[in-house]
């Protein structure tokens, strides 16, 4: 006899914000949160991609609102949180996933403008999101949870990616600091640190340098890249009550890359 699978309702009634949700890891997480019962706010600079993600959530029986937002602009991030609260009444969880990776050069050859762009999106963007999310969560008796997308490049060195590694080390530092600052306020803050994941961003990188694919696969002991859904699962766990005693943690989801 077939066993009926029970619907996941672990985020029923929760309001969840996901940035960088127009594709890749962000889209996978937004859809997973929606499937688990959350009211999801999909945020991205891409209007078409953001609306498509929101439509996927609704088609799956969930609730979603798309808000266009550039996370490097304080006024837009503040407005994003205001719209979230105006529409859903609160903010329970945030997955700060928006980020870029556009380099493959040794440090001495890295362009200054590229360095500034990567730091602006990955570091300032995460800082601004946490700033306004935490302000809202402090108003709520139940606090909230925040997960930032860092990277294995935030845990170890990443040759030919000095700006990206610097930005993700900064995300790890901000995550630890904010977790310590707001733990007594009922706000848990962690980061997820992916290895190489099959995303459009990675596909573009391999288009530029197809010779890197074999090497990148081989640095993962499991012998493959990760999938966006695998990072989404980790983000959901860190946002859920199942990780209630976890804060200030950097969860490597990397196929064993940082184990060797």
């Amino acid at each position: 006899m077939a066993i009926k699978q029970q619907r996941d309702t672990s985020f029923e009634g929760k309001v969840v914000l996901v940035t960088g949700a127009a594709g890749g890891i962000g889209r996978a997480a937004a859809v997973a949160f929606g499937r688990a019962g959350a009211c999801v706010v999909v945020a991205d600079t891409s209007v078409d991609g953001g609306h498509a993600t929101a439509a996927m959530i609704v088609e799956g029986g969930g609730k979603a609102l798309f808000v266009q937002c550039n996370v490097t602009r304080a006024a837009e991030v503040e407005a994003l949180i205001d719209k979230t609260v105006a529409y859903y009444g609160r903010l329970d969880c945030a997955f700060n996933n928006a980020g870029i990776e556009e380099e493959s050069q040794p440090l001495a050859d890295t362009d200054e403008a590229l360095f500034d762009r990567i730091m602006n999106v990955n570091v300032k963007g995460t800082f601004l999101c946490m700033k306004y999310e935490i302000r809202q969560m402090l108003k709520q008796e139940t606090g909230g949870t925040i997960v930032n997308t860092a990277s294995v490049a935030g845990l170890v060195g990443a040759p030919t990616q000095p700006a990206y590694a610097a930005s993700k080390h900064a995300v790890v530092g901000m995550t630890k600091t904010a977790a310590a600052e707001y733990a007594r306020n009922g706000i848990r803050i962690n980061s997820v640190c992916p290895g190489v994941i099959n995303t459009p961003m990675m596909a573009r990188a391999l288009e530029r340098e197809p010779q890197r694919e074999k090497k990148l696969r081989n640095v993962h002991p499991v012998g493959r890249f990760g999938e966006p859904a695998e990072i989404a699962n980790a983000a959901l766990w860190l946002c859920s009550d199942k990780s209630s005693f976890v804060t200030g943690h950097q969860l490597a989801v990397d196929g064993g890359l940082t184990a060797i």
Side-chain angles (χ1 to χ4, degrees):
M1 186 176 90
I3 298 175
K4 187 177 179 181
Q5 190 170 14
Q6 196 170 22
R7 178 173 170 265
D8 181 7
T9 59
S10 53
F11 286 88
E12 197 75 49
K14 299 284 188 180
V15 178
V16 179
L17 166 65
V18 181
T19 69
I25 292 169
R27 171 173 286 176
V31 171
F33 276 117
R35 196 182 301 124
C39 299
V40 185
V41 178
V42 174
D44 205 291
T45 55
S46 171
V47 174
D48 291 343
H51 278 304
T53 299
M56 290 177 185
I57 295 168
V58 173
E59 287 166 10
K63 298 176 182 178
L65 168 70
F66 169 65
V67 179
Q68 186 179 18
C69 179
N70 182 332
V71 298
T72 69
R73 297 173 182 167
E76 292 192 25
V77 176
E78 186 174 17
L80 169 64
I81 304 306
D82 288 344
K83 288 175 184 177
T84 297
V85 176
Y87 197 81
Y88 286 126
R90 57 186 297 106
L91 175 64
D92 297 296
C93 311
F95 182 29
N96 297 323
N97 171 70
I100 58 171
E101 180 274 300
E102 301 175 344
E103 64 176 334
S104 183
Q105 293 286 342
L107 190 147
D109 298 324
T110 297
D111 181 72
E112 182 181 357
L114 176 60
F115 180 90
D116 289 344
R117 173 168 159 75
I118 289 173
M119 297 297 283
N120 198 36
V121 176
N122 294 359
V123 182
K124 183 182 177 183
T126 302
F127 160 73
L128 288 173
C129 285
M130 282 202 293
K131 175 178 179 176
Y132 291 105
E133 290 158 1
I134 290 168
R135 285 185 176 183
Q136 173 57 35
M137 290 176 179
L138 287 171
K139 299 174 185 177
Q140 303 169 177
E141 291 182 7
T142 53
T145 57
I146 296 173
V147 175
N148 299 317
T149 296
S151 169
V152 292
L155 303 175
V156 297
T160 74
Q161 293 183 303
Y164 184 74
S167 73
K168 293 304 185 178
H169 273 75
V171 169
V172 167
M174 285 194 295
T175 299
K176 291 179 178 180
T177 299
E181 287 176 340
Y182 297 101
R184 295 292 178 95
N185 300 102
I187 301 173
R188 293 190 300 107
I189 305 171
N190 297 287
S191 79
V192 62
C193 300
V196 180
I197 309 299
N198 274 323
T199 63
M201 186 167 72
M202 179 49 57
R204 290 192 296 270
L206 292 178
E207 266 184 29
R208 295 193 299 267
E209 298 178 276
Q211 72 279 5
R212 291 181 66 201
E213 181 168 358
K214 183 177 180 181
K215 179 182 178 182
L216 287 172
R217 288 188 187 279
N218 287 340
V219 297
H220 298 77
V222 297
R224 66 172 177 87
F225 294 164
E227 296 299 329
E230 293 175 302
I231 308 304
N233 288 339
L236 262 70
W237 181 77
L238 287 171
C239 282
S240 76
D241 293 339
K242 294 177 182 178
S243 62
S244 57
F245 201 55
V246 180
T247 196
H249 180 64
Q250 324 314 312
L251 179 58
V253 188
D254 63 356
L257 188 155
T258 54
I260 56 174

